[in-house]
Structures are given as C-alpha cells and as structure tokens.
Amino acid sequence: MTSVLVTAPIPQSALDILTQAGLEVESYSGNGLITKAELLRRIVGKDYLITPLSTQVDRDVIDADADLKLIANYGAGFNNIDAAYARTKGIPVTNTPKVSTTSTAEVTTGLIITLAHRMVEGDHLMRTKGFAGWSPLFFLGHELAGKTLGIIGMGQIGQAVAKRMAAFDMKIVYTQRHPLPAATEASLNATYATLAEVIEKSDVLTLHCPLNEQTHHLLGATEFAAMKDSAYLINAARGPVIDEAALLDALKSGQLAGAALDVYEAEPHVDDGFKALDNVILTPHVGNATVEARDAMAAIVANNAVKVDQGADPLYIVN
C-alpha cells in the first residue's frame, strides 16, 4: 500500500483525505519537533512526505528514501527543504501559498496598531504596578492616520496589509523587484519607490518578502541608521531577513522607536535582549495560526499527495 509520513500533528481533515483515498498514513506525535534521527528512520519506504516548515529536509533525508515521490511542505515558505536537490532526484516540492494571506495580514495589522498605541506595555503596566489615573501627558502613543507605511514585498500579503492600513488613512509606499500595475497601485493608493526611499520615508516599515540569498540580512545596521528614529519595524515574513544583532543595537540606542517580531533569525530561539525591551512585541510565529488558514493548508498538502498518487501533477510546485 502507498504510504505517507506526516512529521507533525496536522488537522484531522487532512488525515481523512489521505485515508479516504486509500493511502496508509504514519504520523509523528512525539513531544516537540521530530528529530533528524527519527525522521531518517521513519522515512524509509514512504512514498510521500508531509512536513511543517519547522522540520529540516536536507540531502540526508531525501537520500534515505529511494521511494519518495513528493515532499509537501505545510507552510508558505520552503527554506527548510533542499528543493534544488529534490529536483535532481525528480521529487516535486510543494508549499501552501495564498491561504495564509488573510491571517498574516490581520496579524501584521494588529502588531502595527498595538505597537503604535503601546497596548502590550499598557497591559503589562496594569498587571503589575498599575497607574495613578488619567493624565494629559501619560503613556502617549502615536496615531497612524497621516503616517507613512513602508512595505518591502508587495505580493498577496503585502497588498492585503496595504488595503487594511489604507483604511487607517496611512500613506503607502512599497518596494520590490518590479512595480505593480498602475491600476493595482491606484486601488491600494500605493506608490512604488526604491528600497532606500522606503526605508527613509517610513514611519512604520513592514516586511513581506521571501527569504533568499538576496534578502538575507536585507536590513542591517546601515538601513536602521537611515530610518527615522521615530519609526517602528514589523517582521512577519522570515527572521533572517533582518540582522537581529544590528536591530537590537538600533533599539537600544534609540535609532528606532520600537519593533514587533513574529519570526526570528535563529527560530525558535529569541535573543534575551529583545525580551528586556518594553518597546518590542514578540509573538511565537502566529502569522497564519488560525483555524481557517491551517485547515486550508491541510487540504492542500493532503490533496497534493492524492494527486500524485493518482498520476496527476500537484499544485504549487516550488522546484
């Protein structure tokens, strides 16, 4: 019988799709992430691999299973997989794009608003020493109306963020390899600019670009020095797009007013320096952590395995 290895707990709906199609499913349900040793042991003889982006699928793993016909990544990213090597073996690698757009855009919007209005700081204050009462100059944040939102990466998520923040009367500037069509720019009230211009103009700068060789440490000490000292930085893309050591220095020195991070350079590790700062919000990679998004992702990976098993091409091949 054709078999599938699922390396982390995923919605039951995906397992139902697989079993109803006649596939034998083996699921890892241990504590924490599956280890490489466990993955190497379990993958032998499996036809399809369904794995979250937190699991590394390198050459050793790919070579351990001569029967492997598909690697279905449960996540929009796929930096955890050696997709180029898989291609040399004739193994398609797929991801789950698009379905994370709404959730990630909503999380980004929430982080922007929460950071500007110091809501996490306020919650901490009320849970500890409290406050003496309303005062004209007490605990001031900033309104977003009239401010400039800079977006690095204007794909589906970037556009969804622009749409939401334009409703807060923010000016939108963005950068990526190529400008959007004029009609799309007009609908979002967004203006194309160079990376340097976006960095310099932004009151809030949010990242929605992929992680690759060109974007690794896209923002570092030079870029932070060029930003307004009143600016906020949001990262719900990929951790290594930011040089975190440089960001921590910039926050400590007052080069930036604050940051909100949902992803981390050495994830899941978070530098203790960020934890000590009141003007930093830290969330545990929850960009697409909604029932709706995760169910949609589950359907994609399961149906892709079924498609390949039935002789069809899977959706969203990345290699």
Side-chain angles (χ1 to χ4, degrees):
M1 180 180 285
T2 307
S3 59
V4 184
L5 175 61
V6 182
T7 66
I10 61 176
Q12 182 63 40
S13 56
L15 305 181
D16 292 342
I17 290 171
L18 295 168
T19 55
Q20 289 168 9
L23 302 180
E24 182 179 15
V25 180
E26 179 180 328
S27 298
Y28 174 75
S29 58
N31 294 324
L33 301 178
I34 191 170
T35 64
K36 182 173 181 178
E38 181 79 0
L39 179 55
L40 287 170
R41 182 181 70 79
R42 290 193 178 221
I43 198 172
V44 176
K46 300 299 188 298
D47 297 280
Y48 312 116
L49 174 63
I50 294 176
T51 188
L53 55 82
S54 53
T55 297
Q56 296 297 313
V57 181
D58 57 17
R59 293 189 176 203
D60 294 339
V61 175
I62 294 169
D63 286 340
D65 185 8
D67 300 314
L68 194 58
K69 301 177 182 67
L70 171 71
I71 303 171
N73 211 41
Y74 190 99
F78 51 92
N79 302 94
N80 56 309
I81 298 171
D82 192 335
Y85 185 67
R87 182 175 183 175
T88 68
K89 295 281 194 173
I91 303 168
V93 175
T94 63
N95 68 339
T96 58
K98 302 181 180 180
V99 295
S100 298
T101 298
T102 297
S103 179
T104 305
E106 289 179 355
V107 166
T108 301
T109 299
L111 290 173
I112 293 170
I113 297 167
T114 301
L115 189 60
H117 288 274
R118 303 175 65 186
M119 292 180 180
V120 171
E121 285 184 75
D123 179 80
H124 178 71
L125 176 69
M126 296 308 296
R127 292 173 186 272
T128 52
K129 64 181 181 180
F131 76 126
W134 187 92
S135 177
L137 299 180
F138 174 69
F139 217 79
L140 302 182
H142 290 279
E143 294 180 3
L144 296 169
K147 304 296 194 305
T148 297
L149 174 66
I151 301 176
I152 298 177
M154 200 64 148
Q156 289 187 332
I157 295 174
Q159 290 180 44
V161 172
K163 177 181 177 181
R164 285 157 175 77
M165 299 317 299
F168 283 79
D169 296 323
M170 295 195 77
K171 303 171 186 176
I172 311 294
V173 296
Y174 75 96
T175 192
Q176 58 182 9
R177 288 187 178 181
H178 304 290
L180 294 170
T184 304
E185 284 190 340
S187 70
L188 297 171
N189 196 25
T191 303
Y192 182 78
T194 66
L195 176 63
E197 289 170 337
V198 169
I199 288 171
E200 292 172 3
K201 291 180 179 180
S202 296
D203 296 296
V204 180
L205 181 63
T206 183
L207 302 174
H208 300 289
C209 53
L211 175 62
N212 51 44
E213 292 181 0
Q214 290 71 42
T215 61
H216 182 268
H217 282 192
L218 182 67
L219 299 185
T222 300
E223 290 73 28
F224 297 138
M227 291 177 68
K228 299 177 182 179
D229 60 11
S230 59
Y232 299 115
L233 176 66
I234 315 292
N235 189 10
R238 289 292 179 265
V241 174
I242 291 176
D243 180 343
E244 282 192 357
L247 173 59
L248 188 55
D249 287 342
L251 289 165
K252 286 180 176 179
S253 67
Q255 280 186 322
L256 296 180
L261 307 176
D262 186 49
V263 290
Y264 305 91
E265 188 169 358
E267 193 168 315
H269 171 74
V270 181
D271 192 304
D272 288 339
F274 291 114
K275 299 176 185 179
L277 298 177
D278 291 334
N279 59 341
V280 175
I281 298 174
L282 306 171
T283 52
H285 201 152
V286 295
N288 62 15
T290 60
V291 171
E292 295 83 0
R294 296 291 169 86
D295 280 350
M297 293 163 67
I300 291 172
V301 295
N303 283 316
N304 272 345
V306 173
K307 281 178 179 290
V308 174
D309 196 57
Q310 295 176 346
D313 291 331
L315 298 176
Y316 311 122
I317 297 174
V318 299
N319 64 337

